[in-house]
Amino acid sequence: MKINKHFLDLQDSYLFSTIAKKALAHIADNPDANVLRLGIGDVTRPLPKVAVDAMTAAVADMGSASTFRGYGPEQGYPFVREAVQKYYAAKGVELTADEIYVGDGAKSDIGNILELFDRDNNIIIPDPVYPAYVDANIMAGRTVHYVNGDEGNGFLPMPDSVGVKPDIIYICSPNNPTGSVYTREQLKAWVDFALENNAIILFDSAYECFISDKSLPSSIFEIEGARKCAVEIATLSKMAGFTGVRCGYTIIPHELEFEGQNIGKMWMRRQATKFNGISYIVQKGAEAVLTPEGLAQCRENIAVYMENAKTIATTMADLGIWHVGGDNAPYIWLKCPQGLSSWDFFDKLLSEAHIVGTPGAGFGVKGEGYFRLSAFNSKENVLEAMKRIKEIL
Ligand code: PLP
């Protein structure tokens, strides 16, 4: 028996475990300190009421012979797919319900979809970015090519920095960790580049619900030509607080074909073999959050996070600290002051202000010297954290 040796090529994922260890040690040494967590990328507010009510009713359905459900369709119940279809129609994106594949969240689909593609493809991944893209590809034995984000490009790398023939291109917009968002023109450049090179774009729209500037695209399918080159991976995690409930969806347009094979059909075949769908109960919750009432309740939660984001961004501006994000995303990406490294700034914030953030180096080599602050917290905690940061800087 031989193991998959590519696992040995993975960097140990020290980031969040090291953060947790350091925070715990700090709390042990400072039992009276009110430690504030602005590191976390997880939502903090409870589920919208419509979702709770719909899931409660769905549990009751499961307890009655006439409404009980067993295995559902692998692609998701039509009622969820039609709800997603309407959500996109409201943005001006026309989809058919059978182009939508319901799953248990973006992370699974980001990794699983790679099974459809040959191992020798060239993978293009932005740096810094959500670490799952890199790790999923390394596990599969692929070589990753990075496109670098920096202050010059506002942490939005463009196709002219790709140095190899691209096959699979990851785009995360709004980006985790930087909070920067591609404009329509910039996304069009990526779509044209993918079409010219017969490449596929895997577009992660996990934070699309935080975009308030209507001129910015919240779906790759707002861009002409994208239906021929892109897959969109979306989630209710951040939008509806479903990080613990688990529901997402992947959109694969009918036109998407490579080497004469239809990508949607391949994905359906993969899912039907290895996935039995998510629970009826969760899908009823998902349907409810996508109703007008549900979307309004989601927006109330999002507004709280975005007010926090504004508070953080304004504080950074007042302190003269270079930063991006925070206006259309729940993350603020800042340059560590006083020339500190990501981890030195982490230690300074923790020891002097009792604040936990996330060192940028955990998101890629180009994240060194930068830092992520998250808006996922209460208004009171964010205000208190900003007061303390002003005091120590
Ligand atoms: N994509 C990005 C960019 C993320 O930041 C996250 C989670 O933080 C995910 C995907 C995972 O989302 P899900 O909860 O749907 O698996």
Side-chain angles (χ1 to χ4, degrees), residues 36-177:
L36 300 173
R37 293 172 185 275
L38 268 59
I40 196 93
D42 197 357
V43 292
T44 51
R45 295 180 64 77
L47 293 176
K49 184 168 183 309
V50 284
V52 176
D53 291 346
M55 288 193 278
T56 305
V59 171
D61 286 349
M62 297 299 269
S64 162
S66 60
T67 48
F68 169 78
R69 311 273 179 133
Y71 289 122
E74 290 98 348
Q75 202 180 337
Y77 282 104
F79 60 76
V80 187
R81 289 189 272 128
E82 283 157 20
V84 172
Q85 187 188 14
K86 281 197 193 123
Y87 179 63
Y88 275 72
K91 308 183 188 203
V93 173
E94 295 301 328
L95 302 171
T96 59
D98 61 356
E99 292 174 322
I100 298 156
Y101 301 79
V102 180
D104 67 350
K107 199 179 208 176
S108 314
D109 285 9
I110 285 165
N112 293 336
I113 201 157
L114 292 173
E115 288 183 18
L116 273 45
F117 312 127
D118 187 87
R119 214 195 65 177
D120 290 334
N121 283 302
N122 281 333
I123 317 293
I124 312 299
I125 298 188
D127 179 356
V129 86
Y130 180 52
Y133 310 156
V134 173
D135 285 356
N137 278 286
I138 303 267
M139 284 176 190
R142 291 191 172 90
T143 307
V144 170
H145 303 269
Y146 295 97
V147 277
N148 293 335
D150 54 35
E151 286 178 45
N153 58 28
F155 285 92
L156 292 167
M158 293 301 293
D160 56 9
S161 55
V162 176
V164 292
K165 147 78 179 86
D167 297 312
I168 299 177
I169 302 168
Y170 283 82
I171 299 181
C172 183
S173 181
N175 178 285
N176 177 12

Side-chain angles (χ1 to χ4, degrees), residues 92-390:
V93 173
E94 295 301 328
L95 302 171
T96 59
D98 61 356
E99 292 174 322
I100 298 156
Y101 301 79
V102 180
D104 67 350
K107 199 179 208 176
S108 314
D109 285 9
I110 285 165
N112 293 336
I113 201 157
L114 292 173
E115 288 183 18
L116 273 45
F117 312 127
D118 187 87
R119 214 195 65 177
D120 290 334
N121 283 302
N122 281 333
I123 317 293
I124 312 299
I125 298 188
D127 179 356
V129 86
Y130 180 52
Y133 310 156
V134 173
D135 285 356
N137 278 286
I138 303 267
M139 284 176 190
R142 291 191 172 90
T143 307
V144 170
H145 303 269
Y146 295 97
V147 277
N148 293 335
D150 54 35
E151 286 178 45
N153 58 28
F155 285 92
L156 292 167
M158 293 301 293
D160 56 9
S161 55
V162 176
V164 292
K165 147 78 179 86
D167 297 312
I168 299 177
I169 302 168
Y170 283 82
I171 299 181
C172 183
S173 181
N175 178 285
N176 177 12
T178 67
S180 25
V181 187
Y182 280 110
T183 63
R184 210 167 284 278
E185 294 67 38
Q186 288 172 322
L187 273 193
K188 178 81 172 83
W190 276 111
V191 166
D192 291 345
F193 181 68
L195 291 170
E196 275 158 28
N197 287 285
N198 192 37
I200 193 169
I201 291 175
L202 301 180
F203 186 81
D204 182 341
S205 66
Y207 298 94
E208 57 84 26
C209 60
F210 296 95
I211 297 179
S212 58
D213 178 346
K214 294 281 178 257
S215 72
L216 295 171
S218 66
S219 164
I220 189 84
F221 299 119
E222 290 177 44
I223 309 300
E224 196 196 331
R227 288 184 58 89
K228 289 209 169 82
C229 65
V231 164
E232 182 158 311
I233 298 173
T235 174
L236 297 184
S237 279
K238 315 291 158 137
M239 171 179 159
F242 269 37
T243 53
V245 175
R246 312 301 308 147
C247 183
Y249 54 89
T250 287
I251 300 169
I252 309 181
H254 290 314
E255 290 94 315
L256 200 64
E257 292 198 346
F258 290 86
E259 297 194 296
Q261 296 304 310
N262 185 279
I263 299 300
K265 280 194 183 143
M266 287 176 75
W267 179 241
M268 191 61 217
R269 187 74 178 83
R270 188 266 168 213
Q271 293 294 78
T273 302
K274 297 194 179 180
F275 183 61
N276 259 335
I278 59 164
S279 80
Y280 167 72
I281 299 160
V282 167
Q283 293 192 62
K284 286 307 269 184
E287 178 192 27
V289 296
L290 291 165
T291 59
E293 194 190 359
L295 291 171
Q297 291 181 12
C298 291
R299 278 195 295 270
E300 283 173 26
N301 283 340
I302 289 167
V304 174
Y305 298 136
M306 290 315 288
E307 198 189 328
N308 290 341
K310 199 171 170 189
T311 304
I312 300 171
T314 308
T315 306
M316 294 308 127
D318 290 349
L319 289 167
I321 294 176
W322 186 95
H323 64 283
V324 281
D327 36 12
N328 292 284
Y331 299 126
I332 287 82
W333 180 250
L334 55 112
K335 187 171 185 159
C336 297
Q338 301 155 4
L340 293 173
S341 73
S342 294
W343 277 109
D344 286 346
F345 186 56
F346 174 92
D347 290 335
K348 181 178 171 69
L349 272 191
L350 184 59
S351 61
E352 296 177 23
H354 311 296
I355 291 171
V356 182
T358 311
F363 298 97
V365 174
K366 299 300 281 184
E368 179 53 278
Y370 294 86
F371 203 77
R372 188 188 79 175
L373 288 175
S374 158
F376 292 124
N377 210 313
S378 69
K379 180 179 171 174
E380 297 67 36
N381 281 349
V382 169
L383 286 171
E384 170 62 20
M386 292 308 109
K387 187 170 140 267
R388 291 187 199 167
I389 287 183
K390 278 192 166 164

